[in-house]
Amino acid sequence: GAGVSQSPSNKVTEKGKDVELRCDPISGHTALYWYRQRLGQGLEFLIYFQGNSAPDKSGLPSDRFSAERTGESVSTLTIQRTQQEDSAVYLCASSFRDYPYEQYFGPGTRLTVT
Amino acid sequence: RKEVEQDPGPFNVPEGATVAFNCTYSNSASQSFFWYRQDCRKEPKLLMSVYSSGNEDGRFTAQLNRASQYISLLIRDSKLSDSATYLCVVNVAGYTDKLIFGTGTRLQVFP
C-alpha cells in the first residue's frame, strides 16, 4: 500500500518568508510525528498528533513553528519568518496507536533558507 | 545521561564479517525498542522491532537486556549493501507512543 508522502520534496526560500510543509500519513495510522534532521545530525523530535490533538508540542523550537492536523489525516507544519538555522530535512512519520508503535517515515522535505 | 546512547562509529568491516552494535537507554520503564537503518540522505527505515526474548530476521539478530538497559544488533555475513547508519530507538518515559532516536552508529562494509 501507499506509504507516508510529503510535499514538497525540496523547498528553497528566502529568509523571513513563511513555508508550509505537508504530510500524508499511511491510511489508518492515527499517530503522526514531525522530526527535524540537520545535516550530519540525529533526528530532533518536534511534535506529534494522536488523531487531531497534539499531546506533546515540546519539541517545537520556537513560536515561529506550528503544526495542525485535520480529519485524522493530513498534517501541515508551518514555519513563519524562516531563518537560516531552519535549514534541515523535515521528516514526517506515522504509526498505529497500538503496541509496539512502529513508525514509518516519509521521504522528507529538504528546506533551504537563503 | 542521554536517553539513548550509541557509539557513533564508524565501524569499518570487510564483506562477510560479523559486526555488533550496542545501545544503552536510560528509562527503565521503556517497553518499545527498535533498530532503524538510515542511508545517506534518505529517511530512516524500520529494520526490526526488538522483543524481550530476542529476535532474528535473516542475518540480523536483536537482543534486549532489561537489567542492564541495553539493546544489541548483530549483523552476520555483512554485505556491501549493509553500509548505513543504524539507529537505536526506544519509547520515551511516560509516552508509550512517542519514540526517541539515538544518533546512530555508522557502518561501512568494504570489499
Side-chain angles (χ1 to χ4, degrees):
Chain A
V4 178
S5 62
Q6 292 187 245
S7 62
S9 54
N10 279 284
K11 177 73 177 178
V12 180
T13 189
E14 291 180 356
K15 179 180 171 181
K17 301 282 190 185
D18 298 352
V19 295
E20 280 190 359
L21 313 179
R22 177 187 167 109
C23 172
D24 279 276
I26 293 171
S27 178
H29 278 191
T30 55
L32 185 150
Y33 305 79
W34 284 100
Y35 297 89
R36 178 169 72 177
Q37 189 171 33
R38 292 195 169 106
L39 189 63
Q41 304 294 313
L43 269 70
E44 179 186 0
F45 169 82
L46 298 179
I47 185 171
Y48 89 106
F49 293 89
Q50 271 294 358
N52 293 338
S53 64
D56 187 356
K57 304 179 183 180
S58 63
L60 294 177
S62 74
D63 59 8
R64 296 187 296 107
F65 288 72
S66 62
E68 64 176 22
R69 188 181 186 195
T70 55
E72 294 198 352
S73 180
V74 172
S75 176
T76 303
L77 177 70
T78 301
I79 309 173
Q80 295 178 308
R81 304 181 303 282
T82 52
Q83 304 293 313
Q84 287 186 330
E85 65 261 27
D86 299 334
S87 296
V89 175
Y90 290 81
L91 291 158
C92 174
S94 69
S95 73
F96 285 113
R97 193 183 181 173
D98 290 299
Y99 176 84
Y101 310 104
E102 297 168 344
Q103 293 183 16
Y104 297 88
F105 283 82
T109 294
R110 186 173 301 278
L111 175 66
T112 304
V113 182
T114 60
Chain B
R1 181 184 175 185
K2 285 186 181 178
E3 291 183 83
V4 178
E5 291 200 67
Q6 295 184 254
D7 181 343
F11 285 58
N12 296 305
V13 303
E15 274 187 290
T18 296
V19 61
F21 308 134
N22 287 332
C23 160
T24 57
Y25 61 95
S26 61
N27 176 21
S28 61
S30 290
Q31 294 294 320
S32 298
F33 309 92
F34 310 92
W35 284 102
Y36 279 70
R37 73 171 274 168
Q38 186 171 27
D39 292 278
C40 189
R41 298 175 76 85
K42 296 286 191 181
E43 74 273 22
K45 290 188 188 295
L46 178 66
L47 180 65
M48 57 198 303
S49 301
V50 185
Y51 301 112
S52 297
S53 55
N55 46 300
E56 189 173 305
D57 183 0
R59 298 181 294 108
F60 299 84
T61 301
Q63 296 281 347
L64 169 64
N65 184 319
R66 286 188 184 274
S68 300
Q69 292 179 218
Y70 80 78
I71 308 155
S72 64
L73 177 68
L74 183 78
I75 306 175
R76 289 182 299 278
D77 189 22
S78 298
K79 312 290 185 192
L80 295 176
S81 57
D82 293 334
S83 298
T85 297
Y86 290 83
L87 309 177
C88 174
V89 184
V90 178
N91 71 286
V92 175
Y95 291 89
T96 54
D97 53 0
K98 181 181 169 185
L99 304 180
I100 187 155
F101 288 73
T103 52
T105 298
R106 188 163 168 232
L107 172 66
Q108 184 67 48
V109 182
F110 57 88

